[in-house]
Amino acid sequence: MLELMRTGFGFRQVLRTETPFPELPSAMMGAETVLSKKPGDHAWLEHVLPVDGNAWFIALLRDPRDMVVSRHGGAPDRYWANLRQWHRAHDRLRAWRDHSQLRIVGYERLVAQPDAVQDELAEWLTFLPRRQRFSEFHRFSRPTRESRLAMHRVRPIDDASVGRWRQHLPRLAGQLAQHGPISKVLIELGYEEDDAWLEALDGVEPDLTPSRWPEFRDSKPQNQDALRSYYRACGADLENSP
């Protein structure tokens, strides 16, 4: 998503390294608009949204079954993320989904209708100038080595990865064994109408191989000093801040 936004919109500065949210003020160097991404930024929502009217979050929501079978180019021999991470992120997003500075984008719709999603983001982020169409991303993107590695390669947006979980049933069975059922949330989000999809896992031996990210590590803000500095940069009341 960072590479799509960087290519599709004009930012004064794009951070090339993953920077924890409260450290952004010191990294911005006075730029008017800064684009940043770091896995786990959802952990900062409750700390940032109540005090900063200039922070805008885009969250990509994906079918958890496909999320847990994805791989990162930096560790292609292991599955990258786990179902617990998805649950933690989704719980936070659900709590803040109606906030005007948070936009949740469905992965499946993004890869099927990239330009329509970009149009909606442009109407929301009116302060950002447009550059290239999302659908033309592969022609104009110039990602860093790290981003290229994560994406495997620069290619046109397509929906080939939607439903890929069906090719990795042992992995999915293992994640359900470790982190519990997901049928209720799949129905809630419109991915399924009922739990009939579970029939695909009948007789499948669970793969309990650890993910690249630890299965049970929680994502919580750790740098409290940086958070206090962030509050001061926002002019927030430190005593009454969340």
Side-chain angles (χ1 to χ4, degrees):
M1 192 68 195
L2 179 140
E3 292 298 334
L4 270 180
M5 290 297 294
R6 184 177 74 86
T7 304
F9 294 94
F11 289 86
R12 294 288 186 177
Q13 183 181 357
V14 178
L15 298 185
R16 297 296 186 174
T17 58
E18 294 180 350
T19 304
F21 205 89
E23 296 177 17
L24 287 181
S26 60
M28 289 173 63
M29 298 183 294
E32 294 178 0
T33 54
V34 175
L35 177 64
S36 174
K37 172 204 168 188
K38 183 176 176 60
D41 268 353
H42 57 81
W44 298 102
L45 291 175
E46 63 192 88
H47 301 276
V48 172
L49 290 179
V51 302
D52 190 349
N54 294 313
W56 304 79
F57 289 85
I58 299 175
L60 201 58
L61 180 64
R62 188 178 185 183
D63 185 328
R65 297 168 297 185
D66 283 335
M67 192 277 284
V68 299
V69 304
S70 65
R71 300 180 189 267
H72 189 286
D77 59 328
R78 299 176 70 180
Y79 293 106
W80 190 251
N82 59 70
L83 191 55
R84 177 178 171 81
Q85 288 174 283
W86 188 94
H87 279 304
R88 295 293 294 179
H90 179 249
D91 287 346
R92 288 192 174 106
L93 294 177
R94 180 159 44 189
W96 291 94
R97 63 187 172 190
D98 294 327
H99 197 283
S100 61
Q101 292 164 231
L102 170 66
R103 182 61 54 94
I104 299 175
V105 174
Y107 174 88
E108 293 78 14
R109 182 161 181 263
L110 174 64
V111 297
Q113 302 175 10
D115 290 341
V117 171
Q118 185 183 18
D119 289 343
E120 293 167 5
L121 292 176
E123 292 179 5
W124 177 52
L125 302 171
T126 56
F127 51 87
L128 287 179
R130 291 235 206 168
R131 295 178 62 195
Q132 309 297 339
R133 302 299 289 169
F134 276 7
S135 59
E136 298 289 295
F137 157 80
H138 60 289
R139 294 180 53 200
F140 299 99
S141 177
R142 298 294 182 269
T144 63
R145 178 183 179 278
E146 290 74 15
S147 292
R148 186 183 294 271
L149 186 64
M151 296 186 295
H152 300 281
R153 61 186 176 86
V154 177
R155 61 192 185 280
I157 297 174
D158 62 52
D159 61 358
S161 61
V162 176
R164 187 169 288 171
W165 61 269
R166 295 184 179 278
Q167 303 170 26
H168 302 264
L169 297 180
R171 162 66 174 179
L172 181 55
Q175 287 294 291
L176 296 179
Q178 293 180 84
H179 302 295
I182 57 174
S183 281
K184 183 177 179 180
V185 73
L186 290 178
I187 295 171
E188 172 191 321
L189 294 174
Y191 289 117
E192 296 289 346
E193 295 182 355
D194 51 41
D195 61 1
W197 68 275
L198 287 168
E199 295 176 3
L201 299 177
D202 288 347
V204 174
E205 184 70 22
D207 176 3
L208 302 177
T209 303
S211 307
R212 170 61 178 80
W213 287 95
E215 295 292 326
F216 297 102
R217 187 180 74 180
D218 194 9
S219 55
K220 294 181 179 179
Q222 300 294 328
N223 193 335
Q224 296 301 313
D225 289 337
L227 184 59
R228 283 190 287 271
S229 295
Y230 180 83
Y231 284 155
R232 282 192 289 270
C234 294
D237 180 353
L238 294 179
E239 295 297 325
N240 297 314
S241 296

